Amino acid sequence: MDENERAVMEGDAAQVKRASARRTRRSFLVGGVAAAAGYGAWYAIDNSKDSGRLQGGLRKMIDFDAAVNRAVWGERGMAPTYPPSEVAELRTNGTIGMDDPLKVDSWRLQLVGTADPERSPLFAKDVTAWQYEYAASDKPSELAPDYKTPPKEAGRGGPQAESLADKFNKMAQKLSGKRNQGTAEAGASYSSLNIGTPGLLLAMEDLAKLPKVELITQFKCIEGWSQIRQWAGYRLRDLMEMYPPQKVNGREPRYVYMETPDGDYYVGYDMKAARHPQSLLVTEMSGAPLTESHGAPLRLHTPIKYGYKQIKRIGLIAYTDLRPDDYWEKLGYDWYAGL
Ligand SMILES: Nc1nc2c(c(=O)[nH]1)N[C@H]1C(S)=C(S)[C@@H](COP(=O)(O)O)O[C@H]1N2
Ligand SMILES: [Mo]
């Protein structure tokens, strides 16, 4: 090796050393910040005193996210809107809870947790008894024979004993109009209604009393695609004003829960997201009535959340003070799913 080569080598070595020192310093910094944030989060959760230690800490993080959203989108925390010329050709994604074609005439919105439901002409003693009708399909209309054991229980040797949860679900399916509940990957929702839950049953004409709103916003799927879409429907906050929640301990419940008529897909929202002026109960997309695959007759759109929070084919809306179950959270995604 000559002088020159050695210089190059040493030069390289020195450069590599400098670069790696920089990298180390940077990763230390990043690591330090992450550790501090992690510690902060842990500390907040561990030291929050209100309503159970975990809940209080999580509550703060959700509020923090909302503050970030406001900072990003300005005072009112509104997502940007677009001119009609930018609206894209529709694509479709996700059909959990939409196995068989729903007969739209048989659709009702179960609304649970409202104040004084008995006084409403729409009152039903048991909203879970509502029978949604499905168009003929190649699937049998009784209990799905391909009823699956929840994934975490699969794989043990020998014939699988039916779990208590499975038994309960089958019974609940027979008694309430829900079919196929819990057959999708995440299993049954722990926020599903008990049989005998009173509430309101709204037809589309009842929803049509709310002001109709149109919106052109960006729709984002966490899988990495997005579209500018035109939506029309009713603000969720307007529905909530017409049918206000029953107070819990003198204050409003904290969450809104929604699920498909079969109970297979389900999503939870905090009140801020539910009352967001751009959170819409959608009946039309691209200027036409909602199609089957986009969730006819009613779906949710909210530009402040990822697509997986925008449930299609809504059967139930319930006010609740317990943080609702959420389909994709069970499979490892974020409950908040904020954008
Ligand atoms: N009932 C139901 N709603 C759903 C889903 C689903 O599988 N079932 N998928 C969600 C996901 S992940 C996305 S990205 C959007 C897709 O909406 P689109 O079909 O209008 O594109 O619906 C959301 N709502
Ligand atoms: Mo998605």
Side-chain angles (χ1 to χ4, degrees), residues 90-98 219-223 225 227 229 231 259-260 264-267 285 290 293-295 299-300 306-314 327-328:
L90 285 174
R91 58 181 281 182
T92 307
N93 200 43
T95 56
I96 301 159
M98 297 164 49
F219 172 90
K220 281 189 193 160
C221 172
I222 204 162
E223 287 164 20
W225 56 276
Q227 288 203 308
R229 289 179 169 186
W231 321 84
E259 65 177 34
T260 51
D264 244 3
Y265 197 80
Y266 40 90
V267 185
M285 286 171 74
L290 212 54
S293 66
H294 286 293
R299 74 167 302 170
L300 189 87
Y306 274 117
Y308 66 89
K309 285 289 200 181
Q310 304 182 33
I311 183 173
K312 299 188 280 191
R313 195 190 279 187
I314 301 169
Y327 186 91
W328 282 107

Side-chain angles (χ1 to χ4, degrees), residues 119-276:
R119 288 203 211 144
S120 167
L122 305 177
F123 178 70
K125 275 190 199 148
D126 180 3
V127 294
T128 72
W130 180 259
Q131 296 287 332
Y132 294 95
E133 288 165 29
Y134 298 88
S137 83
D138 36 13
K139 292 198 179 159
S141 62
E142 282 307 305
L143 252 179
D146 63 342
Y147 190 87
K148 293 187 195 96
T149 310
K152 60 171 185 268
E153 286 177 295
R156 279 190 223 134
Q160 185 69 56
E162 198 178 37
S163 76
L164 208 60
D166 280 357
K167 278 187 189 148
F168 178 80
N169 280 334
K170 282 190 183 176
M171 194 184 72
Q173 278 174 249
K174 275 191 189 142
L175 291 171
S176 73
K178 287 177 191 168
R179 304 178 315 146
N180 306 338
Q181 185 175 20
T183 60
E185 194 184 350
S189 165
Y190 64 66
S191 301
S192 244
L193 300 180
N194 292 324
I195 293 157
T197 303
L200 308 179
L201 287 173
L202 278 70
M204 203 41 96
E205 67 205 48
D206 301 308
L207 280 176
K209 290 172 186 155
L210 300 166
K212 191 95 182 247
V213 172
E214 214 183 282
L215 194 63
I216 302 178
T217 48
Q218 191 171 40
F219 172 90
K220 281 189 193 160
C221 172
I222 204 162
E223 287 164 20
W225 56 276
S226 70
Q227 288 203 308
I228 292 171
R229 289 179 169 186
Q230 183 175 30
W231 321 84
Y234 312 104
R235 285 194 190 92
L236 179 54
R237 65 185 294 164
D238 290 339
L239 178 82
M240 293 173 65
E241 207 167 293
M242 190 175 274
Y243 302 100
Q246 177 80 60
K247 294 216 157 113
V248 181
N249 302 323
R251 57 160 177 81
E252 188 172 80
R254 285 181 238 236
Y255 303 99
V256 176
Y257 171 73
M258 300 190 194
E259 65 177 34
T260 51
D262 64 7
D264 244 3
Y265 197 80
Y266 40 90
V267 185
Y269 314 87
D270 59 56
M271 280 296 177
K272 270 186 193 153
R275 285 234 170 74
H276 191 278

